[in-house]
Amino acid sequence: MEHSSDTSKESDLKLKIGKLLGKEITEFSLQGKGYCNNAYLVRTSDGAKYIVKEARSDKAFHPQNDLQAEAKVAQQLYSLGLSVPTPHVVFVSEHPKMYGYEYIEGEMLMDLWGALSEDERIQICTALGYFHAEIGKKFTKGMAEATGIKINDSAGLHPEVAEEYEKVFASADVPEEFKDLAKQAKLIFDTTTGDTVFQFIHNDSHHENILIKDRRIAGIIDFGEAEYGEVAKEFSRYIRDFPEHFQYIVSTYEEGSGNKLSRKRLVSTAFLSGLPDIIEDYRKGGQDCVNAEASVATYRKLISALDLI
């Protein structure tokens, strides 16, 4: 009975999307089920392909932006003619909450990074740096306010990160070396509040939201966490995912934006924001624990190399 209900709901959704597109749908399939949204792949009789993001009723958590705000951000970015492609939104729906955009051909950077040459990695990193400089210049605070996304002028830690930071020191199972590095990072973070830069940020630009085709960036997707906030947060996942290459992103950003960023601020922000995940992995044991220890070792090396301690 439940399966029949799900099939009926999917059929109704397909019919609604077909009307919004004004086209006959020839293929309709669930592409991915995220924490907050379902993503459907849609093909139409004219050979076009689309991705439709639909809000889940059983969200694991609520992103900063609902799908309407996210769609507005994508529409605004697309209109700016950026150097890196962003989704071209073709419809937005309030009931049900969803929006559709033209399919971007490509694979996740996460899946291709290991197969890229060093020159290709650097080229992608420099393109990312310029992209973040570009959106900082072109997507103004006024535009952010108009789209309804969060204006975050705080130079402090995200409340959830701050809470998790305090829990670390109350936990007997967390290694002392983790705690010591956390204290060092927090001291650095607290003493670099004067080195902040605020602008429009994607805020979730990691290697799963960056699509690659022919060894180049084909698109950057998913603006559910976008805000006008401190740019150091923008680079946290890059430092985590590409510790040996994030400098190319940062230096190109600086050249393109004219903003000088504090490496101390960037590295401390990255470590503190990633600490909850590191602790979670450590507690899982096995390979996850090994990965957590390797992450801490990498951050310690970054801090030492930048002469932060």
Side-chain angles (χ1 to χ4, degrees), residues 15 27-28 31 35 42 48-49 57 59 85 119 146 154 158 177 214 227 245 255 257-258 261 272 287:
L15 183 63
E27 180 182 333
F28 183 76
Q31 182 84 349
Y35 291 116
V42 176
K49 293 168 64 178
S57 58
K59 297 179 187 291
D119 285 345
S154 170
H158 188 285
E177 60 178 321
D214 298 329
E227 69 177 36
H245 293 81
E255 291 174 12
S257 67
L261 300 181
L272 292 170
Q287 187 58 49

Side-chain angles (χ1 to χ4, degrees), residues 21 28-29 34 37 40 52 62 76 84 87 91 125-126 147 156 166 186 201 221 231 234 240:
L21 290 172
F28 183 76
S29 59
N37 308 300
Y40 294 92
V52 175
H62 288 272
Q76 190 67 69
V84 170
F91 75 79
C125 287
T126 55
T147 56
E166 295 300 332
K186 184 63 162 56
I201 58 176
I221 60 174
V231 76
E234 191 81 283
R240 171 179 169 179

Side-chain angles (χ1 to χ4, degrees), residues 231-256:
V231 76
K233 294 189 293 185
E234 191 81 283
F235 298 99
S236 291
R237 276 300 299 266
Y238 293 141
I239 295 172
R240 171 179 169 179
D241 297 334
F242 314 121
E244 297 178 356
H245 293 81
F246 80 91
Q247 294 278 17
Y248 294 106
I249 303 174
V250 175
S251 60
T252 306
Y253 167 83
E254 290 178 323
E255 291 174 12

Side-chain angles (χ1 to χ4, degrees), residues 12-135:
D12 290 343
L13 185 64
K14 177 181 175 181
L15 183 63
K16 172 78 170 178
I17 292 170
K19 289 181 178 178
L20 288 167
L21 290 172
K23 297 180 179 183
E24 178 188 355
I25 293 178
T26 57
E27 180 182 333
F28 183 76
S29 59
L30 184 64
Q31 182 84 349
K33 191 170 184 177
Y35 291 116
C36 307
N37 308 300
N38 294 322
Y40 294 92
L41 173 64
V42 176
R43 292 177 187 264
T44 53
S45 55
D46 60 355
K49 293 168 64 178
Y50 305 91
I51 291 293
V52 175
K53 293 186 69 173
E54 176 211 21
R56 289 178 53 182
S57 58
D58 56 341
K59 297 179 187 291
F61 67 90
H62 288 272
Q64 288 198 143
N65 307 313
D66 65 17
L67 287 183
Q68 274 62 44
E70 182 180 340
K72 286 181 182 178
V73 169
Q75 289 171 320
Q76 190 67 69
L77 288 170
Y78 187 82
S79 72
L80 296 175
L82 302 171
S83 60
V84 170
T86 53
H88 180 201
V89 175
V90 293
F91 75 79
V92 183
S93 168
E94 177 65 29
H95 302 292
K97 286 186 179 294
M98 62 179 176
Y99 75 91
Y101 63 88
E102 292 179 353
Y103 184 84
I104 301 174
E105 297 283 352
E107 299 178 68
M108 291 187 295
L109 179 57
M110 174 179 66
D111 296 332
L112 292 178
W113 183 258
L116 298 172
S117 70
E118 182 65 9
D119 285 345
E120 289 166 343
R121 292 176 178 179
I122 292 173
Q123 190 277 329
I124 287 171
C125 287
T126 55
L128 286 171
Y130 186 74
F131 169 76
H132 292 296
E134 196 175 20
I135 61 175

Side-chain angles (χ1 to χ4, degrees), residues 179-232:
K179 295 179 180 180
D180 289 342
L181 194 61
K183 288 179 182 177
Q184 294 171 15
K186 184 63 162 56
L187 177 61
I188 293 165
F189 181 85
D190 289 342
T191 55
T192 56
T193 55
D195 298 322
T196 54
V197 174
F198 292 85
Q199 66 166 63
F200 170 80
I201 58 176
H202 181 291
N203 206 26
D204 197 26
S205 182
H206 55 74
H207 56 10
E208 294 179 63
N209 288 335
I210 300 167
L211 302 177
I212 304 296
K213 183 180 180 183
D214 298 329
R215 267 36 186 188
R216 294 180 179 274
I217 299 177
I220 294 180
I221 60 174
D222 290 350
F223 291 85
E225 299 296 333
E227 69 177 36
Y228 191 94
E230 186 186 351
V231 76

